[in-house]
Amino acid sequence: MKHNILIIDDEWSDRQTAYDKFAEEIKKRYSGFEVAFVYQKKDDRVDLKMNLMQNSYSAVITDAVLTGIWKNISIRDVVELVPEKMPMAVVSDRWDQTNAQELMYAWNKPNCRTFLHWRDIDIKDEKHKHDYKIGQIQYAIQSIVYMLSDKEKLDPHLNLSPDEDIRIVHISDLHTKQIGSEQNEDAVQRIFNKAQTCARAILKHWQNKLPTFLAFTGDVSDYGSPSQYEMAHKWIQYFYKCLDLGKLPAKNILYVPGNHDVNIRLASSARVSISFGKSGAINTKIAANIQQPELIKYAYVPFNNYLSKITDCPFLDQDIDANQFVWLELRFRHLGIIFYGINTSVANASGLPDRKINVEVLRRLGEKLGEFACRKNEDNLPIVIGLGHHCPVAAADDGAITNLKDFEEYMQGNGKTHIFLHGHCHENIIRDSSIGDERLVISGAPSFSQPAIDRPEDTFRGFNLLTLARQNNQVNSLTVHSFGWLGTTVKSIGSRSYSLQNQNFIETLQTIQ
């Protein structure tokens, strides 16, 4: 992402070379934060005001003392004119009693984010080389990057080199069961051993480069009970550690629920009719009609409680209503990528969840997504990846949502999606579809779990690995590899490759092994 920062400095012409080198250092160390410095050249308060009004700046860096060469602009003018939503850094070649008033005046400004010494910007500053340790540039760089990331709601801690791939592990349908007292520790250990085997295969495929993201597309549990989520939590903690990714919760884990993540007992409680006997006894029965519709939304509470232990999910709102479950992950736009997650399993009180996407969810998601991934004649648009448990386009089996037309209309607006990840079918699926003038690459992950009691023994087990190649912080191609269990080992069983052309992925190679 490119950020224009206004420099307000009465010595800008003498310092421009140092500022420009500072911008180069920022890009070198935080490649997703490309900074271009624009200089306020006129010593004129009205001109400064117009400059701030007419141009879109991400931030301002101002000299603390502007009364040397300039006579018409002071730090007080800057503080008054810079909009409150625009972060500001104050720099000086000295911080002492002579400019204490300027410091205090800026300090009282809510958007004044940091104070820097000129020696921290100009690593070749000769003036202070005998008095100070020269080149504290990392502090200055972090201060500016964190200031920008806070404003744009980005995560600077995920910092890839400009041409480094984005690597996504796509997993679905764990169908975790509770490990009860009747099952010994060997059962748990077998589950963990298989997770370790998969982790080793993943790291080997990427030549020991760590995954950038883990995407889970639903059915982590078998029927949404808290005890199953406890086991799932232990499993993913172990799996995450096997991948050498650290501890949970983590921002690089992307999660959506599936139909098995609905606690049907809680959903059906909306039909419970309660009456009180003469002796105070409570009588309950399942009514034909819904008695308390507001209880249906609690069917996803166990899942949401589990989710909070796994990842910091950026919901569009915090309503616990499962039918409105939607999140938009914008914190990695500096890497050229946006994620969103939608719930395709609408809980109801009368039976299994409905396979559909709430239309209001799509509308709100499209509006928000359009602010950051619009399709005007702009360069460097981010790649958008959607997650849902069911496929949002027509499929040969029951893996698709039932309101396909609604998603098609969403894709034609601000909901341009390049890649969609789903599960549910328990099959390896890599295909591309046309929705109007748009192309959509589909990654359907098989069941990651081992055969369960109520699952066919021949249900395929495996996962997909997506590699997004990047150049200068922009995605330019995609390769999806399918992996599956072959005996006691995990191997690649096929792949498809795509190049990005006119904001659509076009297939270039298919390999079936």
Side-chain angles (χ1 to χ4, degrees), residues 119-346:
R119 71 175 186 272
D120 297 333
I121 292 178
D122 185 2
I123 59 176
K124 295 183 179 180
D125 178 21
E126 295 292 329
K127 183 176 180 180
H128 299 283
K129 70 178 182 179
H130 298 298
D131 302 319
Y132 302 99
K133 182 179 179 181
I134 305 302
Q136 301 295 326
I137 193 169
Q138 184 60 30
Y139 169 77
I141 289 174
Q142 287 184 346
S143 297
I144 298 302
V145 167
Y146 289 176
M147 183 172 71
L148 294 171
S149 61
D150 284 349
K151 177 180 181 292
E152 300 293 339
K153 294 181 172 57
L154 301 171
D155 184 0
H157 299 97
L158 185 50
N159 182 36
L160 305 179
S161 62
D163 300 332
E164 185 175 353
D165 296 342
I166 292 175
R167 298 172 289 275
I168 303 173
V169 180
H170 178 198
I171 292 176
S172 197
D173 296 82
L174 289 168
H175 288 283
T176 304
K177 292 183 176 293
Q178 178 185 4
I179 302 297
S181 58
E182 71 280 1
Q183 294 176 285
N184 56 35
E185 291 297 322
D186 290 342
V188 178
Q189 192 58 50
R190 283 197 299 271
I191 295 173
F192 284 178
N193 288 344
K194 293 183 183 301
Q196 187 179 67
T197 299
C198 291
R200 288 173 177 170
I202 291 167
L203 294 175
K204 181 180 179 181
H205 173 74
W206 280 319
Q207 299 178 335
N208 289 323
K209 294 178 181 177
L210 304 185
T212 319
F213 298 100
L214 269 61
F216 291 81
T217 51
D219 282 2
V220 63
S221 72
D222 209 37
Y223 48 83
S225 72
S227 59
Q228 290 176 353
Y229 287 123
E230 289 177 9
M231 185 61 204
H233 185 210
K234 293 178 182 178
W235 181 91
I236 192 174
Q237 279 183 311
Y238 182 78
F239 183 61
Y240 200 72
K241 183 179 179 180
C242 287
L243 290 169
D244 200 23
L245 292 174
K247 298 181 179 180
L248 303 177
K251 293 180 181 179
N252 66 340
I253 293 181
L254 312 164
Y255 237 117
V256 291
N259 51 293
H260 279 261
D261 293 315
V262 176
N263 190 306
I264 296 177
R265 292 181 176 88
L266 290 174
S268 61
S269 66
R271 294 172 53 206
V272 174
S273 175
I274 298 176
S275 61
F276 297 91
K278 294 181 179 180
S279 60
I282 299 176
N283 302 313
T284 63
K285 67 176 182 177
I286 300 295
N289 299 320
I290 295 176
Q291 305 295 303
Q292 300 181 79
E294 68 275 10
L295 294 181
I296 298 175
K297 63 186 179 182
Y298 288 92
Y300 268 113
V301 167
F303 172 80
N304 284 334
N305 289 340
Y306 160 78
L307 191 66
S308 65
K309 301 175 184 178
I310 303 301
T311 183
D312 175 19
C313 199
F315 293 112
L316 286 187
D317 59 53
Q318 296 300 318
D319 193 331
I320 67 170
D321 188 341
N323 295 345
Q324 301 295 315
F325 180 102
V326 58
W327 53 260
L328 181 60
E329 182 55 270
L330 300 166
R331 289 174 287 192
F332 309 110
R333 302 194 313 281
H334 58 293
L335 304 179
I337 195 166
I338 289 175
F339 296 96
Y340 70 81
I342 48 178
N343 181 22
T344 64
S345 303
V346 180

Side-chain angles (χ1 to χ4, degrees), residues 389-432:
H389 184 59
H390 301 91
C391 187
V393 296
D397 50 30
D398 70 344
I401 59 174
T402 56
N403 56 334
L404 297 170
K405 188 67 177 178
D406 292 327
F407 187 81
E408 182 178 340
E409 293 178 358
Y410 161 78
M411 280 280 290
Q412 303 305 310
N414 291 326
K416 164 65 178 177
T417 304
H418 300 84
I419 306 167
F420 197 91
L421 314 181
H422 74 88
H424 185 67
C425 296
H426 293 206
E427 296 179 8
N428 281 94
I429 298 172
I430 309 173
R431 64 187 178 97
D432 56 302

Side-chain angles (χ1 to χ4, degrees), residues 435-455:
I435 299 181
D437 296 330
E438 307 295 351
R439 304 288 294 177
L440 178 64
V441 176
I442 302 291
S443 170
S447 176
F448 193 81
S449 64
Q450 292 304 297
I453 295 174
D454 57 347
R455 296 283 165 187

